[in-house]
Amino acid sequence: MSDRKPAGQFIDAAIDLLRRVRDEEADSVEAAGTLLADTVQNGGRLFAFGAGHSSLAAQDVVYRAGGLALMNLLAVPGVVGVDVMPATLGSALERVDGLASAVLDSSPLREGDALVIVSLSGRNALPVEMALNARALGVRVVGVTSVAYASQTKSRHTSGTFLKDHCDIVLDSKIAVGDAELTLDTVPAPFAPASTVVTSALLQAVMATAAATLADRGIEPPLLRSGNVDGGHDWNGRVLEQYRDRIFYRR
């Protein structure tokens, strides 16, 4: 490691990753943003899903100031963040076959919608099955994952495949297997994960692209404003009412 302190080293590592995804994933980000814009324009609904810490990036684009009001969270009980007790149960649920099918069967997802699935490893049964079954319903799927896992680990889904194998568009976060950017001789394990920083940035880049694409087509993007600015609540009330048939987090 360099002479820079760990805090600076971590921020430098995160910046390097952000530069990589900016440069190497530009076409995929553009394609994903265009897919979401197409979905909005065609009357479809938008959903985001992530399990465990991957759910943090999914939640960050739902009911978000400056974000698309139509983005809904597809929640799976027990795997949304680390709210389940014990927290290790959430990791176990990600490996349960059939859970994604049960969730999709009771969800509002339908043909013509778009689903963003966030999974760092993309190897567990839940995200793989979610992508497989969603596409079978006629839902377009955008996967946000680290492609490196597919070459360095084994899938935990019965098909032997990864999330990346069942998506219309894949965004590669470039995160190394293990999700830890730093090492020290005095610390027995790698530390300082950057996946949340990078994945959230990727998704916000996609949202920005979708909003700008809609505007370029002469369509006002259904954006939310901060409730902490004057007029924000009135603005949001208008948007939420206009698109109430495509918004599910109000119900």
Side-chain angles (χ1 to χ4, degrees), residues 228-242:
N228 296 313
V229 300
D230 292 341
H233 286 298
D234 291 338
W235 172 283
N236 291 343
R238 175 182 64 82
V239 173
L240 294 175
E241 177 62 23
Q242 181 180 353

Side-chain angles (χ1 to χ4, degrees), residues 99-151:
L99 180 56
S101 298
V103 170
L104 287 174
D105 287 346
S106 60
S107 80
L109 268 171
R110 67 187 185 192
E111 184 177 0
D113 292 345
L115 172 62
V116 177
I117 300 177
V118 185
S119 174
L120 176 61
S121 72
R123 68 187 297 221
N124 288 313
L126 183 55
V128 174
E129 185 180 288
M130 188 76 75
L132 266 168
N133 291 7
R135 292 183 84 190
L137 293 172
V139 173
R140 303 292 298 281
V141 175
V142 175
V144 187
T145 187
S146 171
V147 172
Y149 277 82
S151 61

Side-chain angles (χ1 to χ4, degrees), residues 83-98:
D83 60 334
V84 65
M85 295 297 290
T88 51
L89 177 59
S91 298
L93 289 172
E94 289 186 62
R95 299 193 290 271
V96 174
D97 292 325

